[in-house]
Amino acid sequence: MSLVLPTLLYLGTFDKPSLSSMSGRVVASGDNVKLQCFSSFKFDAFILTKEDAPQFTQTQRSTAQDNGQQATFHMDHVTSTHAGTYKCYGTFSKDPYVWSHPSDPLQLVVTEATVDPTSVEPGHPHATDHNQTQNHLGILIGFPVAIVLLLLLFLLLFFILRHRHRKAKNNATETKRQPQEVEPMNGLASEARDPQDVTYFQVTFNAPTHGTASAPSLLPKLTQASEYATLVLR
């Protein structure tokens, strides 16, 4: 659709200005947008138009800036209806129907806004919900961490007690394995290691002997024989 211009409007009499967006060409819905029109020619005012929207026309008086003139157009809380192609023109107050050549077109894109938690003001419901969510996340994260630490502590105590139990058990086994002195049970000689523990007794036996033919006595004589017995004191 072509731009509908008022009657007796003259275009292209002066050089074209430049149009730029101080907020960027892509903005989020709800943002404030600033479009700046600049020309080295000293126009008294600048006019901002939007293609496919003849009813959208803004006029802003120019101010001196960097050896030229400029004007800033404000659009607050933009929506999808603000998206489109914009152009600006320069004009003079004494000849308001004489416009310059149009500036190069500027395409403005408006996207759906995403809630930024850092930009929410304190006391706003979104800020409260965000703080509550962070608190809940902190609790949910802290509880499992505490459980893990407790389990690690219990495991450490278990291994310490188990190590001590094994050590005590090994000491008891080593004690049982140590050789013990066993006194010999058999053999009288091995028991009587000290000569003082041995006592000797003399036992005399009387045995009859046969006499000779010349012996007057008919009774046999008794002969003595000695035997030694060894007694071991226990």
Side-chain angles (χ1 to χ4, degrees):
M1 182 181 295
S2 59
L3 179 64
V4 178
L5 299 177
T7 307
L8 300 177
L9 181 63
Y10 297 93
L11 299 177
T13 306
F14 306 101
D15 293 337
K16 65 180 180 180
S18 62
L19 180 64
S20 61
S21 175
M22 301 176 65
S23 305
R25 293 178 178 265
V26 179
V27 296
S29 178
D31 287 351
N32 298 329
V33 178
K34 295 180 180 180
L35 300 181
Q36 187 178 81
C37 192
F38 175 82
S39 175
S40 58
F41 200 82
K42 296 182 179 181
F43 290 109
D44 294 333
F46 291 98
I47 300 171
L48 181 68
T49 62
K50 182 175 182 292
E51 288 186 0
D52 301 330
Q55 70 279 6
F56 182 89
T57 302
Q58 293 185 8
T59 303
Q60 186 75 28
R61 293 188 62 85
S62 65
T63 57
Q65 182 70 26
D66 297 335
N67 297 325
Q69 298 294 116
Q70 72 174 20
T72 303
F73 299 88
H74 298 269
M75 292 185 293
D76 297 334
H77 307 293
V78 297
T79 62
S80 59
T81 59
H82 290 85
T85 303
Y86 291 86
K87 296 179 181 179
C88 73
Y89 302 82
T91 186
F92 294 95
S93 58
K94 64 179 180 179
D95 295 320
Y97 297 107
V98 179
W99 293 7
S100 66
H101 285 286
S103 66
D104 293 334
L106 183 146
Q107 183 71 30
L108 184 66
V109 179
V110 179
T111 60
E112 292 297 327
T114 56
V115 179
D116 186 4
T118 59
S119 63
V120 179
E121 296 180 358
H124 196 275
H126 291 293
T128 303
D129 295 340
H130 179 69
N131 293 334
Q132 291 179 353
T133 302
Q134 286 186 337
N135 293 335
H136 292 163
L137 289 176
I139 294 174
L140 292 177
I141 294 174
F143 184 74
V145 172
I147 294 297
V148 171
L149 291 178
L150 287 176
L151 290 176
L152 292 176
L153 180 60
F154 284 133
L155 288 175
L156 181 60
L157 292 176
F158 172 76
F159 284 117
I160 292 176
L161 294 176
R162 186 176 181 182
H163 176 71
R164 290 183 178 179
H165 177 71
R166 286 185 176 181
K167 187 175 181 180
K169 187 176 180 180
N170 292 335
N171 292 338
T173 303
E174 292 296 331
T175 303
K176 290 181 180 180
R177 290 180 179 178
Q178 290 181 357
Q180 297 180 354
E181 293 184 359
V182 180
E183 295 183 358
M185 300 298 295
N186 299 323
L188 296 177
S190 61
E191 291 182 358
R193 297 176 182 176
D194 193 348
Q196 295 181 357
D197 295 338
V198 181
T199 305
Y200 298 91
F201 291 90
Q202 182 178 1
V203 181
T204 303
F205 298 93
N206 293 326
T209 58
H210 296 283
T212 60
S214 60
S217 175
L218 297 176
L219 297 176
K221 295 182 180 179
L222 297 177
T223 61
Q224 296 182 350
S226 299
E227 294 289 340
Y228 294 91
T230 304
L231 298 181
V232 179
L233 298 179
R234 297 180 64 114

